[in-house]
Amino acid sequence: MDVAEHHTVNSPSLEKRLLIATQGSEFKNIVTEGIIQHFETDSIFIEVIDITSLEGINPKAYNAIVLIHTWENWKPPAEIRSFIEGAKAYKEKIIVMTTSGEGSYKMEEVDAVVGESIIDDAASITEKIITKVTSILE
């Protein structure tokens, strides 16, 4: 798994803020870019980080948080598990996209979009995430 490159879109002074914490892979990059393209013309600050940077993130600082990760060794990455456990008070603003070989694994305590890392499915997965983010931001 590659490390996702940190970058931002729009001004951090905007009232609405979206965080996307992801891992680097072709599939995850397509989904991340699709989310960004959908929201970049709105008045929303978007920040993209690698999941390894979640430890320093305050969930209160964002209106919506998207976590995109691969199910590894029969469990989510430690960074994802730790962040979700520490952000229980903010779970209504967290959307998780979990990829796995079987396409059905996810943490029980979160609202998750699940699937395999199939490029042809990226658009439909992206739309599901966008719908959830839109609902949170409204």
Side-chain angles (χ1 to χ4, degrees), residues 19-87:
L19 175 70
I20 303 171
T22 186
Q23 295 170 302
S25 75
E26 183 180 7
F27 178 81
K28 291 173 192 66
N29 294 345
I30 291 169
V31 171
T32 299
E33 285 306 312
I35 297 167
I36 291 168
Q37 286 176 6
H38 181 83
F39 290 109
E40 70 185 344
T41 58
D42 294 342
S43 295
I44 300 171
F45 172 68
I46 304 167
E47 183 171 12
V48 178
I49 64 169
D50 188 80
I51 65 166
T52 58
S53 299
L54 277 170
E55 185 177 350
I57 295 296
N58 178 357
K60 187 176 181 178
Y62 298 90
N63 301 90
I65 299 168
V66 177
L67 306 175
I68 304 173
H69 72 89
T70 296
W71 198 256
E72 302 168 346
N73 300 318
W74 306 103
K75 61 185 185 271
E79 298 90 349
I80 295 290
R81 166 77 59 199
S82 178
F83 182 79
I84 289 173
E85 287 174 359

Short mmCIF file of all heavy atoms in Angstrom, two decimals, residues 19-87:
data_model
loop_
_atom_site.label_atom_id
_atom_site.label_comp_id
_atom_site.label_asym_id
_atom_site.label_seq_id
_atom_site.Cartn_x
_atom_site.Cartn_y
_atom_site.Cartn_z
N LEU A 19 -12.64 16.07 5.66
CA LEU A 19 -11.37 15.36 5.75
C LEU A 19 -11.51 14.02 5.05
O LEU A 19 -12.48 13.30 5.28
CB LEU A 19 -10.97 15.12 7.22
CG LEU A 19 -9.72 14.27 7.42
CD1 LEU A 19 -8.47 15.03 6.98
CD2 LEU A 19 -9.59 13.82 8.87
N ILE A 20 -10.53 13.71 4.20
CA ILE A 20 -10.46 12.38 3.58
C ILE A 20 -9.14 11.78 4.01
O ILE A 20 -8.07 12.28 3.66
CB ILE A 20 -10.52 12.45 2.03
CG1 ILE A 20 -11.80 13.16 1.56
CG2 ILE A 20 -10.43 11.04 1.44
CD1 ILE A 20 -11.84 13.46 0.08
N ALA A 21 -9.20 10.70 4.80
CA ALA A 21 -8.01 9.98 5.22
C ALA A 21 -8.01 8.66 4.45
O ALA A 21 -8.98 7.90 4.52
CB ALA A 21 -8.01 9.72 6.72
N THR A 22 -6.95 8.40 3.71
CA THR A 22 -6.95 7.27 2.81
C THR A 22 -5.57 6.61 2.76
O THR A 22 -4.62 7.09 3.36
CB THR A 22 -7.39 7.72 1.39
OG1 THR A 22 -7.52 6.58 0.53
CG2 THR A 22 -6.42 8.72 0.79
N GLN A 23 -5.52 5.50 2.07
CA GLN A 23 -4.27 4.84 1.74
C GLN A 23 -4.08 5.02 0.25
O GLN A 23 -5.04 5.23 -0.49
CB GLN A 23 -4.35 3.35 2.08
CG GLN A 23 -4.49 3.06 3.56
CD GLN A 23 -4.81 1.61 3.83
OE1 GLN A 23 -5.80 1.08 3.34
NE2 GLN A 23 -3.97 0.96 4.62
N GLY A 24 -2.84 4.95 -0.19
CA GLY A 24 -2.58 5.13 -1.61
C GLY A 24 -2.70 3.82 -2.38
O GLY A 24 -2.06 2.84 -2.06
N SER A 25 -3.57 3.82 -3.36
CA SER A 25 -3.70 2.72 -4.32
C SER A 25 -4.47 3.29 -5.51
O SER A 25 -5.12 4.33 -5.39
CB SER A 25 -4.46 1.53 -3.73
OG SER A 25 -5.84 1.78 -3.64
N GLU A 26 -4.40 2.63 -6.63
CA GLU A 26 -5.09 3.13 -7.82
C GLU A 26 -6.58 3.30 -7.55
O GLU A 26 -7.17 4.35 -7.84
CB GLU A 26 -4.86 2.19 -9.01
CG GLU A 26 -5.50 2.71 -10.29
CD GLU A 26 -5.27 1.79 -11.48
OE1 GLU A 26 -4.74 0.68 -11.32
OE2 GLU A 26 -5.64 2.21 -12.59
N PHE A 27 -7.21 2.30 -6.97
CA PHE A 27 -8.64 2.35 -6.69
C PHE A 27 -8.97 3.48 -5.71
O PHE A 27 -9.86 4.30 -5.96
CB PHE A 27 -9.12 1.01 -6.12
CG PHE A 27 -10.57 0.99 -5.75
CD1 PHE A 27 -11.54 0.80 -6.72
CD2 PHE A 27 -10.97 1.18 -4.43
CE1 PHE A 27 -12.89 0.79 -6.38
CE2 PHE A 27 -12.31 1.18 -4.08
CZ PHE A 27 -13.27 0.98 -5.05
N LYS A 28 -8.25 3.54 -4.59
CA LYS A 28 -8.53 4.55 -3.58
C LYS A 28 -8.25 5.96 -4.11
O LYS A 28 -8.97 6.91 -3.77
CB LYS A 28 -7.71 4.27 -2.32
CG LYS A 28 -8.18 3.02 -1.58
CD LYS A 28 -7.24 2.69 -0.44
CE LYS A 28 -7.51 1.32 0.12
NZ LYS A 28 -7.22 0.25 -0.83
N ASN A 29 -7.25 6.10 -4.95
CA ASN A 29 -6.97 7.41 -5.56
C ASN A 29 -8.10 7.85 -6.47
O ASN A 29 -8.47 9.04 -6.49
CB ASN A 29 -5.65 7.37 -6.33
CG ASN A 29 -4.44 7.17 -5.43
OD1 ASN A 29 -4.52 7.33 -4.21
ND2 ASN A 29 -3.33 6.79 -6.04
N ILE A 30 -8.67 6.93 -7.22
CA ILE A 30 -9.81 7.26 -8.10
C ILE A 30 -11.01 7.70 -7.27
O ILE A 30 -11.66 8.70 -7.59
CB ILE A 30 -10.16 6.06 -9.02
CG1 ILE A 30 -9.05 5.83 -10.03
CG2 ILE A 30 -11.51 6.28 -9.70
CD1 ILE A 30 -9.18 4.53 -10.81
N VAL A 31 -11.30 6.97 -6.20
CA VAL A 31 -12.43 7.33 -5.34
C VAL A 31 -12.18 8.69 -4.69
O VAL A 31 -13.06 9.56 -4.70
CB VAL A 31 -12.67 6.24 -4.27
CG1 VAL A 31 -13.69 6.70 -3.23
CG2 VAL A 31 -13.12 4.93 -4.93
N THR A 32 -10.99 8.90 -4.16
CA THR A 32 -10.66 10.18 -3.52
C THR A 32 -10.79 11.34 -4.51
O THR A 32 -11.41 12.37 -4.19
CB THR A 32 -9.22 10.13 -2.95
OG1 THR A 32 -9.16 9.10 -1.96
CG2 THR A 32 -8.83 11.45 -2.33
N GLU A 33 -10.25 11.19 -5.70
CA GLU A 33 -10.34 12.26 -6.70
C GLU A 33 -11.78 12.51 -7.12
O GLU A 33 -12.17 13.66 -7.37
CB GLU A 33 -9.46 11.94 -7.91
CG GLU A 33 -7.99 12.13 -7.63
CD GLU A 33 -7.65 13.52 -7.09
OE1 GLU A 33 -8.11 14.54 -7.66
OE2 GLU A 33 -6.93 13.59 -6.08
N GLY A 34 -12.58 11.46 -7.18
CA GLY A 34 -14.00 11.63 -7.52
C GLY A 34 -14.74 12.45 -6.47
O GLY A 34 -15.56 13.31 -6.80
N ILE A 35 -14.43 12.19 -5.21
CA ILE A 35 -15.04 12.96 -4.12
C ILE A 35 -14.60 14.42 -4.20
O ILE A 35 -15.41 15.34 -4.11
CB ILE A 35 -14.66 12.35 -2.74
CG1 ILE A 35 -15.23 10.93 -2.60
CG2 ILE A 35 -15.16 13.25 -1.60
CD1 ILE A 35 -14.65 10.14 -1.44
N ILE A 36 -13.31 14.62 -4.40
CA ILE A 36 -12.78 15.99 -4.51
C ILE A 36 -13.42 16.73 -5.68
O ILE A 36 -13.87 17.87 -5.53
CB ILE A 36 -11.25 15.97 -4.65
CG1 ILE A 36 -10.60 15.52 -3.33
CG2 ILE A 36 -10.71 17.35 -5.06
CD1 ILE A 36 -9.12 15.20 -3.45
N GLN A 37 -13.47 16.10 -6.85
CA GLN A 37 -14.05 16.76 -8.03
C GLN A 37 -15.50 17.14 -7.79
O GLN A 37 -15.95 18.19 -8.25
CB GLN A 37 -13.93 15.85 -9.25
CG GLN A 37 -12.53 15.77 -9.78
CD GLN A 37 -12.40 14.79 -10.93
OE1 GLN A 37 -13.39 14.24 -11.42
NE2 GLN A 37 -11.17 14.55 -11.36
N HIS A 38 -16.22 16.33 -7.05
CA HIS A 38 -17.63 16.64 -6.79
C HIS A 38 -17.78 17.87 -5.90
O HIS A 38 -18.65 18.71 -6.12
CB HIS A 38 -18.33 15.45 -6.14
CG HIS A 38 -19.77 15.71 -5.87
ND1 HIS A 38 -20.74 15.55 -6.83
CD2 HIS A 38 -20.41 16.16 -4.75
CE1 HIS A 38 -21.92 15.89 -6.32
NE2 HIS A 38 -21.74 16.25 -5.06
N PHE A 39 -16.94 17.99 -4.87
CA PHE A 39 -17.11 19.04 -3.87
C PHE A 39 -16.20 20.26 -4.06
O PHE A 39 -16.40 21.27 -3.39
CB PHE A 39 -16.88 18.48 -2.46
CG PHE A 39 -17.98 17.55 -2.01
CD1 PHE A 39 -17.75 16.19 -1.91
CD2 PHE A 39 -19.23 18.04 -1.68
CE1 PHE A 39 -18.75 15.33 -1.49
CE2 PHE A 39 -20.25 17.19 -1.27
CZ PHE A 39 -20.01 15.83 -1.17
N GLU A 40 -15.23 20.20 -4.96
CA GLU A 40 -14.23 21.27 -5.04
C GLU A 40 -14.80 22.63 -5.46
O GLU A 40 -14.23 23.67 -5.13
CB GLU A 40 -13.06 20.88 -5.93
CG GLU A 40 -13.37 20.79 -7.41
CD GLU A 40 -12.18 20.28 -8.20
OE1 GLU A 40 -11.05 20.29 -7.69
OE2 GLU A 40 -12.40 19.86 -9.35
N THR A 41 -15.90 22.66 -6.17
CA THR A 41 -16.48 23.93 -6.57
C THR A 41 -17.44 24.48 -5.53
O THR A 41 -17.93 25.60 -5.67
CB THR A 41 -17.20 23.82 -7.93
OG1 THR A 41 -18.22 22.83 -7.83
CG2 THR A 41 -16.23 23.46 -9.04
N ASP A 42 -17.72 23.72 -4.49
CA ASP A 42 -18.56 24.19 -3.38
C ASP A 42 -17.68 24.95 -2.39
O ASP A 42 -16.45 24.88 -2.45
CB ASP A 42 -19.22 23.00 -2.67
CG ASP A 42 -20.22 22.27 -3.55
OD1 ASP A 42 -20.66 22.84 -4.56
OD2 ASP A 42 -20.54 21.11 -3.23
N SER A 43 -18.30 25.61 -1.47
CA SER A 43 -17.55 26.34 -0.44
C SER A 43 -17.20 25.38 0.70
O SER A 43 -17.72 25.48 1.81
CB SER A 43 -18.38 27.51 0.08
OG SER A 43 -18.57 28.45 -0.94
N ILE A 44 -16.33 24.44 0.37
CA ILE A 44 -15.92 23.41 1.33
C ILE A 44 -14.40 23.28 1.29
O ILE A 44 -13.81 23.12 0.22
CB ILE A 44 -16.55 22.04 0.99
CG1 ILE A 44 -18.08 22.13 1.02
CG2 ILE A 44 -16.05 20.95 1.94
CD1 ILE A 44 -18.78 20.89 0.48
N PHE A 45 -13.78 23.36 2.45
CA PHE A 45 -12.35 23.08 2.57
C PHE A 45 -12.20 21.56 2.60
O PHE A 45 -12.87 20.88 3.38
CB PHE A 45 -11.78 23.70 3.84
CG PHE A 45 -10.36 23.28 4.13
CD1 PHE A 45 -9.33 23.69 3.30
CD2 PHE A 45 -10.07 22.49 5.22
CE1 PHE A 45 -8.01 23.30 3.56
CE2 PHE A 45 -8.76 22.10 5.49
CZ PHE A 45 -7.73 22.51 4.66
N ILE A 46 -11.32 21.04 1.75
CA ILE A 46 -11.09 19.60 1.67
C ILE A 46 -9.63 19.34 2.00
O ILE A 46 -8.74 19.95 1.40
CB ILE A 46 -11.41 19.05 0.26
CG1 ILE A 46 -12.85 19.39 -0.13
CG2 ILE A 46 -11.16 17.54 0.21
CD1 ILE A 46 -13.17 19.16 -1.60
N GLU A 47 -9.40 18.43 2.93
CA GLU A 47 -8.04 18.04 3.28
C GLU A 47 -7.91 16.53 3.09
O GLU A 47 -8.76 15.78 3.56
CB GLU A 47 -7.71 18.42 4.72
CG GLU A 47 -6.28 18.09 5.10
CD GLU A 47 -5.87 18.65 6.44
OE1 GLU A 47 -6.74 19.10 7.22
OE2 GLU A 47 -4.66 18.63 6.72
N VAL A 48 -6.85 16.12 2.40
CA VAL A 48 -6.57 14.71 2.17
C VAL A 48 -5.29 14.36 2.91
O VAL A 48 -4.28 15.05 2.77
CB VAL A 48 -6.41 14.40 0.66
CG1 VAL A 48 -6.08 12.92 0.44
CG2 VAL A 48 -7.66 14.79 -0.11
N ILE A 49 -5.37 13.29 3.71
CA ILE A 49 -4.20 12.82 4.45
C ILE A 49 -4.08 11.30 4.31
O ILE A 49 -5.05 10.63 3.96
CB ILE A 49 -4.26 13.20 5.95
CG1 ILE A 49 -5.45 12.51 6.63
CG2 ILE A 49 -4.29 14.70 6.13
CD1 ILE A 49 -5.44 12.61 8.15
N ASP A 50 -2.91 10.79 4.61
CA ASP A 50 -2.74 9.35 4.72
C ASP A 50 -3.30 8.91 6.07
O ASP A 50 -3.24 9.67 7.05
CB ASP A 50 -1.26 8.98 4.61
CG ASP A 50 -1.07 7.48 4.51
OD1 ASP A 50 -1.26 6.93 3.41
OD2 ASP A 50 -0.76 6.84 5.56
N ILE A 51 -3.80 7.69 6.16
CA ILE A 51 -4.37 7.22 7.42
C ILE A 51 -3.35 7.23 8.56
O ILE A 51 -3.73 7.33 9.72
CB ILE A 51 -5.03 5.83 7.30
CG1 ILE A 51 -4.02 4.74 6.97
CG2 ILE A 51 -6.19 5.85 6.31
CD1 ILE A 51 -4.54 3.33 7.17
N THR A 52 -2.07 7.17 8.23
CA THR A 52 -1.04 7.19 9.28
C THR A 52 -0.96 8.54 9.97
O THR A 52 -0.34 8.66 11.02
CB THR A 52 0.35 6.82 8.71
OG1 THR A 52 0.68 7.74 7.66
CG2 THR A 52 0.37 5.40 8.17
N SER A 53 -1.61 9.55 9.42
CA SER A 53 -1.62 10.89 10.03
C SER A 53 -2.87 11.14 10.88
O SER A 53 -3.06 12.24 11.39
CB SER A 53 -1.53 11.96 8.95
OG SER A 53 -0.32 11.83 8.24
N LEU A 54 -3.72 10.14 11.02
CA LEU A 54 -4.96 10.32 11.77
C LEU A 54 -4.75 10.63 13.25
O LEU A 54 -5.58 11.29 13.87
CB LEU A 54 -5.85 9.07 11.65
CG LEU A 54 -6.70 8.98 10.40
CD1 LEU A 54 -7.33 7.61 10.29
CD2 LEU A 54 -7.76 10.07 10.39
N GLU A 55 -3.66 10.19 13.80
CA GLU A 55 -3.43 10.36 15.24
C GLU A 55 -3.52 11.82 15.67
O GLU A 55 -4.02 12.12 16.74
CB GLU A 55 -2.07 9.78 15.63
CG GLU A 55 -1.82 9.81 17.11
CD GLU A 55 -0.50 9.16 17.49
OE1 GLU A 55 0.14 8.52 16.65
OE2 GLU A 55 -0.12 9.32 18.66
N GLY A 56 -3.07 12.73 14.84
CA GLY A 56 -3.08 14.15 15.21
C GLY A 56 -4.33 14.89 14.81
O GLY A 56 -4.39 16.11 14.95
N ILE A 57 -5.35 14.21 14.35
CA ILE A 57 -6.56 14.86 13.84
C ILE A 57 -7.62 14.98 14.93
O ILE A 57 -7.95 14.02 15.61
CB ILE A 57 -7.13 14.07 12.64
CG1 ILE A 57 -6.16 14.10 11.46
CG2 ILE A 57 -8.51 14.57 12.24
CD1 ILE A 57 -5.91 15.48 10.87
N ASN A 58 -8.18 16.19 15.05
CA ASN A 58 -9.29 16.44 15.95
C ASN A 58 -10.58 16.34 15.12
O ASN A 58 -10.84 17.20 14.27
CB ASN A 58 -9.17 17.82 16.57
CG ASN A 58 -10.33 18.16 17.49
OD1 ASN A 58 -11.27 17.39 17.65
ND2 ASN A 58 -10.26 19.33 18.09
N PRO A 59 -11.41 15.32 15.36
CA PRO A 59 -12.63 15.16 14.55
C PRO A 59 -13.59 16.34 14.67
O PRO A 59 -14.38 16.59 13.76
CB PRO A 59 -13.26 13.87 15.07
CG PRO A 59 -12.62 13.63 16.39
CD PRO A 59 -11.28 14.29 16.38
N LYS A 60 -13.50 17.07 15.76
CA LYS A 60 -14.38 18.23 15.97
C LYS A 60 -14.12 19.32 14.93
O LYS A 60 -15.00 20.12 14.63
CB LYS A 60 -14.15 18.77 17.38
CG LYS A 60 -15.10 19.84 17.80
CD LYS A 60 -14.85 20.26 19.24
CE LYS A 60 -15.84 21.33 19.65
NZ LYS A 60 -15.65 21.70 21.06
N ALA A 61 -12.93 19.33 14.35
CA ALA A 61 -12.54 20.37 13.40
C ALA A 61 -13.14 20.19 12.01
O ALA A 61 -12.96 21.04 11.14
CB ALA A 61 -11.01 20.44 13.29
N TYR A 62 -13.85 19.08 11.77
CA TYR A 62 -14.39 18.78 10.45
C TYR A 62 -15.89 18.53 10.53
O TYR A 62 -16.39 17.98 11.52
CB TYR A 62 -13.69 17.54 9.85
CG TYR A 62 -12.22 17.78 9.65
CD1 TYR A 62 -11.31 17.49 10.66
CD2 TYR A 62 -11.74 18.34 8.47
CE1 TYR A 62 -9.95 17.74 10.49
CE2 TYR A 62 -10.40 18.59 8.30
CZ TYR A 62 -9.51 18.29 9.32
OH TYR A 62 -8.17 18.55 9.15
N ASN A 63 -16.59 18.89 9.46
CA ASN A 63 -18.02 18.63 9.37
C ASN A 63 -18.29 17.20 8.93
O ASN A 63 -19.30 16.61 9.29
CB ASN A 63 -18.69 19.60 8.40
CG ASN A 63 -18.50 21.03 8.82
OD1 ASN A 63 -17.53 21.67 8.43
ND2 ASN A 63 -19.40 21.54 9.64
N ALA A 64 -17.40 16.67 8.09
CA ALA A 64 -17.53 15.30 7.60
C ALA A 64 -16.13 14.70 7.46
O ALA A 64 -15.18 15.41 7.11
CB ALA A 64 -18.26 15.26 6.26
N ILE A 65 -16.04 13.40 7.75
CA ILE A 65 -14.77 12.69 7.67
C ILE A 65 -14.99 11.40 6.89
O ILE A 65 -15.88 10.62 7.22
CB ILE A 65 -14.23 12.36 9.08
CG1 ILE A 65 -14.00 13.65 9.87
CG2 ILE A 65 -12.96 11.52 8.98
CD1 ILE A 65 -13.73 13.44 11.35
N VAL A 66 -14.17 11.21 5.86
CA VAL A 66 -14.22 9.98 5.06
C VAL A 66 -12.93 9.21 5.31
O VAL A 66 -11.84 9.76 5.12
CB VAL A 66 -14.38 10.29 3.55
CG1 VAL A 66 -14.36 9.00 2.73
CG2 VAL A 66 -15.66 11.08 3.28
N LEU A 67 -13.07 7.96 5.73
CA LEU A 67 -11.93 7.09 5.96
C LEU A 67 -11.97 5.99 4.91
O LEU A 67 -12.96 5.27 4.81
CB LEU A 67 -11.99 6.46 7.36
CG LEU A 67 -12.14 7.43 8.54
CD1 LEU A 67 -12.32 6.65 9.84
CD2 LEU A 67 -10.95 8.36 8.64
N ILE A 68 -10.90 5.88 4.12
CA ILE A 68 -10.83 4.88 3.05
C ILE A 68 -9.64 3.97 3.33
O ILE A 68 -8.51 4.43 3.39
CB ILE A 68 -10.68 5.56 1.66
CG1 ILE A 68 -11.80 6.57 1.42
CG2 ILE A 68 -10.64 4.50 0.56
CD1 ILE A 68 -11.64 7.41 0.16
N HIS A 69 -9.93 2.68 3.54
CA HIS A 69 -8.85 1.77 3.92
C HIS A 69 -9.10 0.35 3.43
O HIS A 69 -10.21 -0.02 3.07
CB HIS A 69 -8.65 1.77 5.44
CG HIS A 69 -9.76 1.06 6.18
ND1 HIS A 69 -9.72 -0.29 6.43
CD2 HIS A 69 -10.92 1.51 6.69
CE1 HIS A 69 -10.81 -0.64 7.08
NE2 HIS A 69 -11.56 0.45 7.24
N THR A 70 -8.05 -0.43 3.48
CA THR A 70 -8.11 -1.84 3.13
C THR A 70 -8.15 -2.65 4.42
O THR A 70 -7.46 -2.35 5.39
CB THR A 70 -6.88 -2.25 2.30
OG1 THR A 70 -6.92 -1.53 1.07
CG2 THR A 70 -6.86 -3.73 2.01
N TRP A 71 -8.97 -3.68 4.41
CA TRP A 71 -9.05 -4.63 5.51
C TRP A 71 -7.78 -5.48 5.42
O TRP A 71 -7.52 -6.12 4.40
CB TRP A 71 -10.30 -5.49 5.31
CG TRP A 71 -10.76 -6.22 6.51
CD1 TRP A 71 -10.61 -7.55 6.75
CD2 TRP A 71 -11.50 -5.70 7.61
NE1 TRP A 71 -11.20 -7.87 7.94
CE2 TRP A 71 -11.75 -6.75 8.50
CE3 TRP A 71 -11.95 -4.42 7.94
CZ2 TRP A 71 -12.45 -6.59 9.68
CZ3 TRP A 71 -12.64 -4.26 9.12
CH2 TRP A 71 -12.89 -5.34 9.98
N GLU A 72 -6.97 -5.46 6.46
CA GLU A 72 -5.66 -6.12 6.42
C GLU A 72 -5.54 -7.16 7.52
O GLU A 72 -5.76 -6.84 8.69
CB GLU A 72 -4.55 -5.08 6.58
CG GLU A 72 -4.58 -3.99 5.52
CD GLU A 72 -3.68 -2.81 5.85
OE1 GLU A 72 -3.21 -2.68 6.99
OE2 GLU A 72 -3.44 -2.02 4.92
N ASN A 73 -5.17 -8.37 7.15
CA ASN A 73 -4.98 -9.45 8.14
C ASN A 73 -6.19 -9.62 9.04
O ASN A 73 -6.08 -9.71 10.25
CB ASN A 73 -3.72 -9.20 8.97
CG ASN A 73 -2.47 -9.15 8.12
OD1 ASN A 73 -2.31 -9.96 7.20
ND2 ASN A 73 -1.60 -8.20 8.40
N TRP A 74 -7.37 -9.63 8.43
CA TRP A 74 -8.64 -9.88 9.11
C TRP A 74 -9.07 -8.76 10.05
O TRP A 74 -9.88 -8.96 10.94
CB TRP A 74 -8.60 -11.22 9.85
CG TRP A 74 -8.22 -12.34 8.93
CD1 TRP A 74 -7.01 -12.95 8.86
CD2 TRP A 74 -9.02 -12.91 7.90
NE1 TRP A 74 -7.00 -13.89 7.87
CE2 TRP A 74 -8.23 -13.89 7.26
CE3 TRP A 74 -10.32 -12.72 7.45
CZ2 TRP A 74 -8.69 -14.65 6.21
CZ3 TRP A 74 -10.78 -13.49 6.41
CH2 TRP A 74 -9.97 -14.44 5.80
N LYS A 75 -8.53 -7.55 9.85
CA LYS A 75 -8.92 -6.42 10.70
C LYS A 75 -8.60 -5.10 10.00
O LYS A 75 -7.83 -5.08 9.05
CB LYS A 75 -8.24 -6.50 12.06
CG LYS A 75 -6.72 -6.45 11.99
CD LYS A 75 -6.13 -6.67 13.37
CE LYS A 75 -4.66 -6.51 13.36
NZ LYS A 75 -3.89 -7.66 13.09
N PRO A 76 -9.17 -4.00 10.51
CA PRO A 76 -8.83 -2.70 9.94
C PRO A 76 -7.44 -2.29 10.40
O PRO A 76 -6.94 -2.79 11.42
CB PRO A 76 -9.89 -1.77 10.55
CG PRO A 76 -10.24 -2.41 11.84
CD PRO A 76 -10.14 -3.89 11.60
N PRO A 77 -6.78 -1.39 9.69
CA PRO A 77 -5.49 -0.89 10.15
C PRO A 77 -5.62 -0.28 11.55
O PRO A 77 -6.67 0.30 11.90
CB PRO A 77 -5.12 0.19 9.12
CG PRO A 77 -5.93 -0.15 7.91
CD PRO A 77 -7.19 -0.77 8.42
N ALA A 78 -4.58 -0.38 12.34
CA ALA A 78 -4.60 0.14 13.71
C ALA A 78 -4.97 1.62 13.77
O ALA A 78 -5.68 2.05 14.68
CB ALA A 78 -3.24 -0.11 14.37
N GLU A 79 -4.51 2.40 12.80
CA GLU A 79 -4.80 3.84 12.77
C GLU A 79 -6.30 4.10 12.64
O GLU A 79 -6.83 5.03 13.26
CB GLU A 79 -4.07 4.53 11.62
CG GLU A 79 -2.57 4.45 11.69
CD GLU A 79 -1.98 3.22 10.98
OE1 GLU A 79 -2.73 2.31 10.60
OE2 GLU A 79 -0.75 3.19 10.83
N ILE A 80 -6.97 3.30 11.82
CA ILE A 80 -8.41 3.45 11.63
C ILE A 80 -9.14 3.07 12.91
O ILE A 80 -10.00 3.80 13.39
CB ILE A 80 -8.90 2.59 10.44
CG1 ILE A 80 -8.29 3.08 9.12
CG2 ILE A 80 -10.43 2.54 10.38
CD1 ILE A 80 -8.80 4.41 8.63
N ARG A 81 -8.81 1.92 13.46
CA ARG A 81 -9.44 1.44 14.69
C ARG A 81 -9.27 2.48 15.82
O ARG A 81 -10.22 2.85 16.49
CB ARG A 81 -8.84 0.10 15.09
CG ARG A 81 -9.12 -0.37 16.50
CD ARG A 81 -10.47 -0.94 16.77
NE ARG A 81 -10.76 -2.09 15.97
CZ ARG A 81 -11.99 -2.54 15.78
NH1 ARG A 81 -13.00 -1.93 16.35
NH2 ARG A 81 -12.22 -3.58 15.04
N SER A 82 -8.06 2.95 15.99
CA SER A 82 -7.76 3.92 17.05
C SER A 82 -8.54 5.22 16.85
O SER A 82 -9.11 5.76 17.80
CB SER A 82 -6.26 4.19 17.08
OG SER A 82 -5.95 5.15 18.05
N PHE A 83 -8.57 5.73 15.62
CA PHE A 83 -9.29 6.97 15.35
C PHE A 83 -10.78 6.82 15.65
O PHE A 83 -11.38 7.66 16.31
CB PHE A 83 -9.09 7.42 13.90
CG PHE A 83 -9.77 8.72 13.59
CD1 PHE A 83 -9.19 9.92 13.97
CD2 PHE A 83 -10.99 8.74 12.94
CE1 PHE A 83 -9.84 11.13 13.71
CE2 PHE A 83 -11.63 9.94 12.66
CZ PHE A 83 -11.05 11.14 13.05
N ILE A 84 -11.37 5.74 15.18
CA ILE A 84 -12.80 5.52 15.38
C ILE A 84 -13.12 5.37 16.87
O ILE A 84 -14.10 5.93 17.36
CB ILE A 84 -13.30 4.33 14.55
CG1 ILE A 84 -13.30 4.73 13.07
CG2 ILE A 84 -14.69 3.88 14.99
CD1 ILE A 84 -13.59 3.61 12.11
N GLU A 85 -12.29 4.66 17.59
CA GLU A 85 -12.51 4.50 19.03
C GLU A 85 -12.41 5.84 19.75
O GLU A 85 -13.18 6.12 20.67
CB GLU A 85 -11.53 3.50 19.62
CG GLU A 85 -11.85 2.08 19.22
CD GLU A 85 -10.83 1.05 19.67
OE1 GLU A 85 -9.81 1.42 20.30
OE2 GLU A 85 -11.05 -0.13 19.39
N GLY A 86 -11.49 6.70 19.32
CA GLY A 86 -11.33 8.01 19.95
C GLY A 86 -12.34 9.04 19.50
O GLY A 86 -12.46 10.10 20.11
N ALA A 87 -13.07 8.75 18.44
CA ALA A 87 -14.02 9.72 17.87
C ALA A 87 -15.46 9.24 17.98
O ALA A 87 -16.31 9.65 17.20
CB ALA A 87 -13.65 9.99 16.41
#
